[in-house]
Amino acid sequence: MSEMTYRDALNLALKEELRRDPSIVVWGEDVALYEGSFKVTRGLLAEFGGERVLDTPISENTIVGVAVGAAMGGLRPVAELMTVNFALLAMDQIIDHMTKIRYMFGGQVNLPMVIRAPGGGGSQLAAQHSQSLETFFMHAPGMHVAYPSTPADAKGLLKTAIRDNNPVMFLEHELLYNSKGEVPEDPEFLVPFGKCDVKREGNDVTIVAYARMTVLALQAAEELAKENIACEVVDLRTLAPLDTDTFVASVKKTGRAVVVEECWKTCGLGAEIATRIYDGCFDSLRAPVRRVSGLDVPMPYSRKLEKLCIPQVADIVAAVKETVAAKY
Amino acid sequence: MKEASLRAILPDHELVRMYEQMVLCREFEESCAEQYTKGHITGFLHLYSGQEAVAVGSTHALHKDDYILSAYREHAQAIVRGAEPRRVMAELFGKSTGICKGKGGSMHLFDPDLSFMGGYAIVGGQFPIAVGLAFASKFRKEGRIAACFFGDGAVNQGTFHESLNWARLWELPVLFVCENNAYGIGTSVERASALADIHKRTCGYDIPSVRVDGMDVMAVHEAVKWGAEWVREQSRPYLIEALTYRFRGHSMADPGKYRSAAEVELWKSRDPLPAFAIRLIEEGIVTQAEMGAIKQEAIAIVQEAVTFAEESPWPEDGAVWEDIYV
C-alpha cells in the first residue's frame, strides 16, 4: 500500500493498463501534450507515445463515436470527455450507438471501451459546468457506470473498467482529485463491478451514497457517532450494475435508510434506490426512506447559493437524526 | 468519345455477377414492399429501388475485408456484400433466424464476418464509427479502409463535419460515399443545403472529392476503385458523391407527393438495371435469353427467402434479456 491522491491513483491505473495491453489507446481533448485538464493523463504521452495517446478536436460526439468504431475494430479505447457536462453533446453516440450496438446487432460485437468524465459541483463553475448527470447514464441499459469515492476504488474500478468487454461510463468527481488514501500497489488489484462497499459499519441507520457523497456521509457518520447514532455507510461504487442486495441487507439490519445523491432530486437515482429498498425490505423499515439530494435548480455561481444546492454534511446529519427520531 | 468496353474493365463473370446482384436487390426490395403490405414486415421500411448501381458498383470495387457502414436503407448493401437474402428477410420479419436474431430489423443489419459493420438509423451516426474503424485498421496495420455510405440529408449533421475534420487530421483511410438521392424525406437538397454541390463541401477539410453518375454502375465502380486505392495508399479520406434517385418514397409510409410525376419518370428512364443490361447485351456478355433467366433466378431466391422467413420461429421470450451485456 502507498498513499496517493485520487488523481494519481487514476493515473496509475491508466499507466498499468497501457503497459499491460498494447491494444489500449487513450484520447480526448488536451489529454496528450497538455496532459489533461485535471492532469489525470500526466506522463502518458511521454511513456506511450503519440500513436496511443492522442489529442482530439473539440468534437465530443465524435470523441465517443470514434471510440465506438475503434472498439468494434479490435482496440480498447479509453476516451476522456473533459467534463461530464460535455457528455450531453455526445449523448447520441453514448445512448443511440454505444449502448445499443451490441443488442440491436444481435450480440455479434462487443464494445470494450471506457469514457472517463470528471464531474460534480462545488467549484463555482456555474450552471453549465457543475452538473451531476449520473442518473442519465444509469437510466440507459447497455453500459456500466462506475463512480469511485476513494483513491483505492478509483484505481481498482478504472482497471476493471478498462478490462470490461462492455462499454463503461467512468465518472470521476472533480473535488476528489486531491483527496488522499492508501492504494494497493499490486498491478492486479481490481475492484469488482456490481459490489457495494460498506465503508463504515453501524446498526442504527444505513446511509447509501456514492462518490463525493460517500465522503460526506462518512463525515456525517463520525459526527453522529458522538451522539451515539451508529451509521452504516454503503458506497455504491458502481451505479450500473447496481448492487441492490448489499444495501437492502444493510437496511434489513438497521431498519432505517438515508440516500444521499448529488444529482437533482426529481427522478434522481435516490428515488430508484428508495424504491428498491421498499421492494426489498419494506417489513424491516422502521421509518420512511429519506433522501438528501441536490436542489432542482440550475447551479448558481455565487458561493453562498451554490452551497445550498449540493448536499452538505449538516444536511445528512439532520436527515439521519430525523429518521432515527421518527416514530411510526 | 466512345465508352470503354466493359470487358476492358472487369472479367465477364464479375460483370454478370454485378448485374445479377442488381436484379436480386430490386426483386428483394419489391418483395419487401409486398410483405409490408401484407403485414409480415412492420416498423420502418426504406427501400433501395433505383439506387442499386451505387451499392453494387461500390462493393465490387472494394476489398472483401474493407469495412462497409451504411444508414437505414441498407438491405442491398448487406446482400451485395454477401449477406444471405433469406437471413435478411427473416430479420425484417423479426424472426430468430434473422441476421441479427430479429433484434435489429430493417434498419440495423450487421455481419462482422462480412465486415459489414452496420446499418444505422440516426442520420449521420455512422460517420464517427467509420472513422474509429479506420483508426483501428491503421493502428493494427491491417490495410483495410472504411467505406462509409450516407444520404444527402446526413451532410448537415455535425458528425459529418466533425468526422471529415477528424479523418483528415489523423490521416485515416475513410472513403465517404454520399448517395445523393435528392431528398431527405421530403426536403430536397436545395432546400436543406446552402451549397447543394455536396462533393464541394469537403474543401473546408482539405479532402478531395468527386461527383459521379450514381445511376451508372460502371461509373460508380470506376470512381470507387480509384478512390478506395487512393485512400488505402495515402491513408487519407476521400469523398464520392453519387447522384442517384429512389424510385419509391422515403419509406413505405411516404407516398412521395413532393416529387413531380415528370421528375420521377425522368429518373425512371435512367433506371440503372436496363441501362446496364443493354450494355451487357450490346457487348455480347449476356444474351437476351440469359437476362430472362437471371430475373427468374432472382425471383426464386427472393421467394425462397420469404418462405424461409415465414416458416422461421419467433425469438424465444428469454431472448429479450440476451445480448445487452457480454
Side-chain angles (χ1 to χ4, degrees), chain A residues 96-282:
Chain A
D96 290 328
H97 296 85
M98 185 180 85
T99 67
K100 302 294 193 295
I101 276 172
R102 188 166 202 282
Y103 193 80
M104 74 184 186
F105 294 152
Q108 297 182 87
V109 67
N110 297 336
L111 296 181
M113 58 179 287
V114 180
I115 303 171
R116 290 184 39 249
S123 303
Q124 279 195 273
L125 303 179
Q128 295 182 329
H129 282 75
S130 303
Q131 300 177 98
S132 293
L133 302 176
E134 46 274 15
T135 304
F136 286 41
F137 305 111
M138 284 178 81
H139 187 59
M143 64 177 147
H144 288 157
V145 183
Y147 204 173
S149 66
T150 67
D153 285 349
K155 184 186 177 198
L157 288 170
L158 182 54
K159 287 167 72 77
T160 300
I162 293 170
R163 297 184 189 194
D164 195 341
N165 285 325
N166 296 290
V168 180
M169 193 76 200
F170 194 91
L171 305 173
E172 301 165 8
H173 202 291
E174 294 168 20
L175 288 184
L176 294 180
Y177 278 134
N178 289 330
S179 65
K180 287 183 177 172
E182 292 294 322
V183 176
E185 282 158 4
D186 178 7
E188 287 304 307
F189 166 70
L190 302 172
V191 171
F193 279 14
K195 281 287 185 195
C196 293
D197 185 37
V198 178
K199 290 271 194 289
R200 180 188 178 109
E201 291 188 13
N203 290 319
D204 296 331
V205 60
T206 299
I207 306 177
V208 182
Y210 61 94
R212 180 166 175 264
M213 297 300 103
T214 300
V215 176
L216 302 190
L218 288 166
Q219 290 170 16
E222 198 63 35
E223 281 189 30
L224 289 156
K226 292 172 195 159
E227 301 181 40
N228 290 322
I229 299 172
C231 299
E232 181 144 302
V233 177
V234 178
D235 181 8
L236 296 172
R237 296 205 292 198
T238 57
L239 309 180
L242 190 58
D243 174 16
T244 306
D245 290 349
T246 298
F247 62 76
V248 165
S250 174
V251 178
K252 275 183 180 168
K253 180 178 77 174
T254 62
R256 303 173 193 276
V258 172
V259 185
V260 191
E261 57 192 334
E262 184 168 343
C263 57
W264 294 302
K265 184 169 191 179
T266 301
C267 300
L269 68 89
E272 176 66 33
I273 289 169
T275 303
R276 291 188 185 214
I277 291 170
Y278 288 127
D279 285 347
C281 57
F282 187 80

Side-chain angles (χ1 to χ4, degrees), chain A residues 46-68:
Chain A
E47 181 173 348
F48 303 101
E51 286 188 5
R52 296 181 68 196
V53 182
L54 300 100
D55 286 319
T56 71
I58 302 173
S59 305
E60 283 85 7
N61 202 27
T62 294
I63 287 173
V64 175
V66 175
V68 169

Side-chain angles (χ1 to χ4, degrees), chain B residues 39-53:
Chain B
H40 294 156
I41 298 174
T42 43
F44 286 150
L45 181 65
H46 311 87
L47 300 177
Y48 199 67
S49 299
Q51 300 183 210
E52 293 89 346

Side-chain angles (χ1 to χ4, degrees), chain B residues 315-326:
Chain B
E316 299 288 338
D317 287 356
V320 79
W321 290 107
E322 294 168 0
D323 305 320
I324 306 171
Y325 297 100
V326 177

